[in-house]
Amino acid sequence: MHTLDQTEISNRVLAVLEKRFGDAARALTADADLSDTLPGFDSLAALEYVNSVEGEFGIEVDFVGDDVRHWFSTLGRTTEYVRERVEDMTA
Amino acid sequence: MTYDTLLRSSGVVSGESDLWCTYAAVRTLGWLGRVGDLPSPETAAGFLASRQNSDGGFAWSAGMSSDAWATYYCTQTLADLPTSSRGTVRASSSAWVWSAAHPDGGFAMTPGQASDVWATYYAVRTLVEIFGEQPPPALFDWLAALQAEDGGLAWSPAHAKGGASDVRACYYAVTAWHTATGGEGPLPWDRERLTSWLRGRQSAAGGFTFQEGDETDCLWATFRATGALSRLDETPRDPEGCVAWIRARLGPTGSFTRWPGYPVPDVWAAFCGVGALRELGAELDDLADGVVETVLSFRTPQGGFTYRTPGLASDVLTTSAHLMAGRLSETGEREALRWTESCMLPNENGIMYMPGRGSEVRCTLWALSAGAFEEDAPARARIAGWLTDGIQNPDGGFGYWEGRASDIVSTAAAAEILHRIGGDSVAGHLRDIAEYVASCETAPGQYANVPGGRSTLRATLQALRARHRAVGADGALAGEALARHRVRGGGYANEGNRVPDLLSTYEAVLAADTFGLDWDSGHLAKFLDSVRTADAGFAWTPLMATSGGPLADCLGRRLELRLSPERHTLPPLALS
């Protein structure tokens, strides 16, 4: 299985956000809070975001056990979460 | 009834903009030619844009499903705002409106629901005035069937057969016809009988009431009556008396109040007062400054409007939520309950969401659950009468308010109220509720919010609770629904079994208690940990870090109390 590096994961997560939020997502920094930075990033958008990331990387998020509001609050944290999940799957 | 409690408003304020208030404010400014007085209209547009769903329709609040009511108010208000201020709104289309078209020629508030004249009016105005399209030809047959034996028009053809004419139904039907035809097409009703019925609603004092038998004239009814008559090229029986009655509603601040004795000017009074005078061709210039100044003082920091000065704009849901969460002092509780009990229209015996608005079933349940009218048996009897004699639909179900087509949320709320206060005389009405609930069954033991909708956990559990209150229901079906939607890590999901939310989890525990089913306290505790926020509030889902507001905080707190050693009972609430 192809191992994903941090940059590739980050680019693919950013592409997910760009698809939904367009220009507003393009300028995102790794530690910017998504709900503060992206207009309309409400609970519904957050759910779509998590689902899209799941589909993009073929992973499944535990919505209660994984503290999604922490891991999916910034681009950097999402990238870290995905990296660990992908590593778990390949281990 | 006196309304002094409303003067200082001892209920609890949400501080949020309200969609209908925002529409009424902007429309009033528009009628007075004063939209230019609105500071930063782009913030109002931003508030409206936040109500748009991905299906293109709009919802009353973020996260709810689109409906015709919200879609009309949002699209019309946006159209009233200066073009340059609408930048944050996504392109919209008429497709969502057409999705709520009914084969009978009317429109439903949400797809799959029965047609009613509220929804039909909103859909027709949105299609014609916003999108430049025409409604289906079958609309006119549907409208024609609204005329009741007394000559007035009713909420639906089925209501017309029962003879329930209402001034609002007349206005919505006549305006839908007028909008679709430009007032040129053949009138689908007996003009003389309709005009006569409408004129008969004007009192000797000059104002109008909604229905035969109502006792208090109000601006809302007066506006709708004058509007309906105007579209028929007719006038009230006493036009000068009507103008004088409307102008007598102007208060010391220079804006309008809703009915004689009501102490507070609000956005709905301004909308109805200006609207009615406009329909009557009366002078507006001399009162414009006072109305504009008052209306503009109702803006909230969110960019939209609430119904009165924001610091005093309490609402029943927020107030009830604070009461049930135990967030008020003993004195505060007493004052809040007294304020809640004053939130009744003169001619309707349910409790309103906000003072001066129509009575609503869900709000009435929340208020009663919070303790309103606990020691006032006559008031409780009036509420039961309002439900059974006033607003139960011919299909046995209930809508959010009078004349609105039935849905499971409102029907479950009504069943809980009748169970709580109805006594023996409501048994027949409860059986009718069971009939409506049956029409929402999508598969054995699974229910949707409206006939033809998708089944969800909440609709299923609300339907089973309503059946339980009405004719008894099998707890095993509730147990099966809970098993289908139980999220492994904690909580319950409305759809599937992956994403839990607070409202579904509350409904799940409430249903389990109602049917005497076992549930796992550790499973609930884990879920509550996932939605508890840093400020001791609760988020609607584990996805959000901030409180979902007073209603979410109330539900979370009540679940905590259910988990406490005292095992406090959950109030049987229905929200969405």
Side-chain angles (χ1 to χ4, degrees), chain A residues 43 54 60-61 63-64 68-69, chain B residues 490 498 500 530 532 542-544:
Chain A
S43 59
E54 284 182 313
E60 188 168 295
V61 173
F63 282 86
V64 176
V68 278
R69 65 188 184 202
Chain B
R498 291 210 54 227
S530 77
R532 199 175 277 108
L543 291 155
M544 299 308 287

Side-chain angles (χ1 to χ4, degrees), chain B residues 134 176-185:
Chain B
Q134 275 302 304
W177 163 79
H178 194 275
T179 303
T181 65
E184 302 293 326

Side-chain angles (χ1 to χ4, degrees), chain B residues 21 43 76 84 146 150 152 258 301 392 399 477 486 499-500 510 540:
Chain B
C21 297
T43 60
Q76 182 60 70
S84 58
L146 298 180
D150 61 10
R258 292 287 294 260
Q392 187 166 23
L477 294 174
R486 186 179 192 272
V499 190
L510 175 61
W540 287 117

Side-chain angles (χ1 to χ4, degrees), chain B residues 230-406:
Chain B
S230 167
R231 279 154 191 72
L232 293 167
D233 290 325
E234 305 281 358
T235 59
R237 194 178 53 207
D238 174 11
E240 290 79 20
C242 191
V243 170
W245 185 88
I246 296 166
R247 293 188 73 95
R249 304 281 73 75
L250 280 167
T253 62
S255 194
F256 292 95
T257 59
R258 292 287 294 260
W259 54 78
Y262 190 83
V264 185
D266 63 31
V267 74
W268 303 313
F271 170 76
C272 294
V274 171
L277 290 175
R278 191 167 164 269
E279 297 289 359
L280 292 161
E283 178 64 39
L284 288 168
D285 289 347
D286 64 314
L287 53 83
D289 285 347
V291 172
V292 169
E293 187 180 346
T294 306
V295 167
L296 289 178
S297 74
F298 301 160
R299 290 169 67 234
T300 80
Q302 281 183 306
F305 289 76
T306 185
Y307 67 98
R308 63 178 294 193
T309 308
L312 296 174
S314 311
D315 70 79
V316 164
L317 286 179
T318 305
T319 302
S320 301
H322 272 66
L323 282 162
M324 285 186 279
R327 295 181 64 180
L328 301 177
S329 66
E330 203 172 306
T331 309
E333 276 187 12
R334 272 199 307 276
E335 289 182 354
L337 280 174
R338 201 172 147 237
W339 177 84
T340 301
E341 290 165 352
S342 72
C343 293
M344 279 185 163
L345 273 176
N347 304 312
E348 286 192 308
N349 286 315
I351 297 174
M352 304 175 283
Y353 168 51
M354 291 167 164
R357 201 159 171 153
S359 296
E360 296 188 9
V361 179
R362 290 178 319 158
C363 298
T364 303
L365 174 63
W366 278 65
L368 290 172
S369 299
F373 298 120
E374 209 150 76
E375 290 166 12
D376 187 345
R380 293 202 303 275
R382 285 197 299 274
I383 290 172
W386 166 69
L387 286 173
T388 54
D389 305 334
I391 74 161
Q392 187 166 23
N393 286 322
D395 62 13
F398 289 79
Y400 278 20
W401 58 72
E402 183 171 8
R404 189 163 163 176
S406 308

